[in-house]
Amino acid sequence: MEGFKISVLWLAIFVILIPSSYGVYMTRMMANEEGGLSERSEWDLSTGSLQNKTVNCQFATFQGHREYQEDRIVCDLDMKIPHLGKNGLGEGTVGVMAVFDGHIGEEASEMASKLLLDYFYMHALFNTSELMEQYEGVPVTEDEITHLEILKEALLRTIRDIDFKFSQASRICSLLEAFEKRIFSGSTATVALLVDGKILIANVGDSKALLCTKKIQSGQGNLTASLSATELTENHSPGRDDERARVEASGGIVVTLWGKPWVNAELPMSRAIGDVYQKRFGVIAEPEMTGWQTLDVNDRFLVVSSDGIFESMTPQDVCDLIHDSSSCLPSSLLAECIVNTAFEKGSVDNLSVIVVPL
């Protein structure tokens, strides 16, 4: 066990000191007393600002009618995470899919996309190390539940730390610097984890995750197949009773503009990464997280998307299009087909979607 702890220490040092593949240079990172990551680092928006960091994922993103592209996508279906089991330390495969929909600038979504995988890996590593200390001298039994809870907690801490880092960067600036650097921005965060036929969703804001599930129906003596949409997230609208209560208890007001509730007539969502100057009015970055859900044999596709898709399409429209993509060009991927269809139907926002066949 002592040898393993030394190995974990050297692994952590190696990961920390090398330049991150997501453009963030970690100079120091450690677990603090609250379980979060405290770090001194630099982030650089000049590298890869419009590059989606994806591995083996089907995705599409389109600027649409907006002046800037503020959406960011991160997706890796084959991320290796330390896993403690009965045979000692091993690696588990985790699929990570995330959409960050920025607003008032790209800075918050850009930072979130660059930090997500590094922070998630480090938190999973620290949590696994802590578990090993508990098992020191005791045989380890295979415990899938413990491993899944480690991943869930790692994701929760990751989102908290991304928000903390961006907020910290914003607060050290003067008001003039904040305007010049455009760090009044914010971002949604919808992240899905896929592990051995189980999924977990963390959501901040109004991006969406949904499942398209095969349904067989009988009618007039015939059997027909379709895909039924199940939403896995609920938008954090200031008009939602619990969200409104928190905003108003913090001194904010909820105003209806263009038929939609806004925090202080400035922000159409009540949870977001960033939006530092709305935090005092009850805007939080705490994600709502589902429990781990076992996928059914009939679940066919997982979709993670920015809200621009749903300006002109419903979740059921998306699943219907996936089921019958004959209207798309033969060369179009499903993700491209969804983006193009939403644009053609009238969506004016940035458009981004990840489609994962199950």
Side-chain angles (χ1 to χ4, degrees):
M1 183 63 70
E2 188 66 29
F4 171 77
K5 291 168 68 177
I6 294 174
S7 298
V8 169
L9 177 60
W10 278 110
L11 176 61
I13 292 172
F14 177 74
V15 171
I16 293 165
L17 291 181
I18 63 172
S20 161
S21 60
Y22 299 95
V24 182
Y25 291 84
M26 301 295 182
T27 57
R28 180 172 62 89
M29 183 178 287
M30 63 188 68
N32 62 29
E33 293 180 357
E34 289 74 31
L37 297 181
S38 60
E39 74 284 333
R40 296 177 61 187
S41 61
E42 297 177 358
W43 57 291
D44 179 12
L45 289 178
S46 64
T47 58
S49 293
L50 297 179
Q51 296 176 8
N52 296 285
K53 310 301 180 184
T54 60
V55 178
N56 52 42
C57 283
Q58 183 182 144
F59 73 95
T61 184
F62 182 49
Q63 184 172 319
H65 292 291
R66 291 296 178 89
E67 186 177 356
Y68 304 102
Q69 172 59 283
E70 296 171 334
D71 286 358
R72 295 293 186 272
I73 286 176
V74 177
C75 187
D76 185 350
L77 297 182
D78 194 33
M79 188 175 184
K80 303 302 182 184
I81 298 290
H83 181 193
L84 182 62
K86 60 184 178 181
N87 296 320
L89 183 68
E91 279 189 332
T93 299
V94 180
V96 183
M97 298 130 275
V99 170
F100 300 100
D101 183 351
H103 49 263
I104 325 176
E106 65 182 17
E107 290 73 22
S109 58
E110 176 72 359
M111 176 185 272
S113 68
K114 286 186 173 181
L115 295 181
L116 175 69
L117 295 182
D118 285 337
Y119 274 25
F120 179 63
Y121 180 86
M122 291 303 298
H123 273 304
L125 181 66
F126 286 132
N127 292 348
T128 301
S129 179
E130 290 173 359
L131 181 64
M132 290 199 59
E133 292 181 4
Q134 297 175 23
Y135 275 108
E136 187 168 8
V138 179
V140 178
T141 58
E142 189 73 34
D143 190 348
E144 181 187 30
I145 294 177
T146 300
H147 177 56
L148 294 178
E149 286 306 309
I150 281 178
L151 297 177
K152 180 178 181 179
E153 183 64 21
L155 181 57
L156 174 63
R157 293 179 178 183
T158 292
I159 294 174
R160 287 174 176 172
D161 284 345
I162 289 172
D163 178 66
F164 176 78
K165 179 162 184 58
F166 187 79
S167 300
Q168 188 180 46
S170 300
R171 289 190 179 107
I172 64 175
C173 294
S174 67
L175 191 60
L176 179 59
E177 288 175 325
F179 274 114
E180 290 176 345
K181 296 181 179 180
R182 297 172 61 210
I183 52 177
F184 284 102
S185 65
S187 177
T188 70
T190 298
V191 187
L193 302 183
L194 178 61
V195 180
D196 295 331
K198 296 180 175 62
I199 59 170
L200 178 141
I201 309 294
N203 184 51
V204 178
D206 59 4
S207 294
K208 288 185 183 295
L210 59 99
L211 279 175
C212 296
T213 303
K214 182 180 179 181
K215 298 290 185 184
I216 302 294
Q217 296 175 316
S218 60
Q220 299 179 346
N222 297 318
L223 295 178
T224 58
S226 62
L227 289 177
S228 176
T230 301
E231 292 190 53
L232 304 176
T233 54
E234 183 177 358
N235 290 351
H236 293 125
S237 166
R240 215 175 84 177
D241 288 345
D242 54 341
E243 298 295 298
R244 178 191 290 269
R246 187 186 66 253
V247 169
E248 292 180 344
S250 302
I253 59 173
V254 177
V255 179
T256 300
L257 299 173
W258 306 289
K260 189 173 183 177
W262 295 60
V263 176
N264 296 331
E266 295 178 342
L267 188 64
M269 65 192 72
S270 49
R271 300 195 193 195
I273 289 173
D275 290 302
V276 177
Y277 297 96
Q278 297 292 340
K279 287 292 198 287
R280 71 192 75 178
F281 300 113
V283 173
I284 62 175
E286 190 74 5
E288 282 191 304
M289 304 185 76
T290 66
W292 284 97
Q293 173 182 339
T294 301
L295 292 169
D296 186 86
V297 66
N298 291 315
D299 292 327
R300 291 293 189 259
F301 295 91
L302 173 63
V303 179
V304 184
S305 171
S306 62
D307 71 322
I309 299 294
F310 304 102
E311 286 184 345
S312 62
M313 300 178 71
T314 66
Q316 187 58 52
D317 289 337
V318 171
C319 290
D320 288 343
L321 183 61
I322 291 174
H323 178 66
D324 181 11
S325 57
S326 59
S327 60
C328 302
L329 294 175
S331 60
S332 293
L333 297 174
L334 290 173
E336 292 176 351
C337 186
I338 293 169
V339 164
N340 292 337
T341 301
F343 181 72
E344 291 167 2
K345 284 179 172 288
S347 288
V348 297
D349 200 354
N350 297 152
L351 301 162
S352 297
V353 66
I354 301 168
V355 179
V356 180
L358 302 173

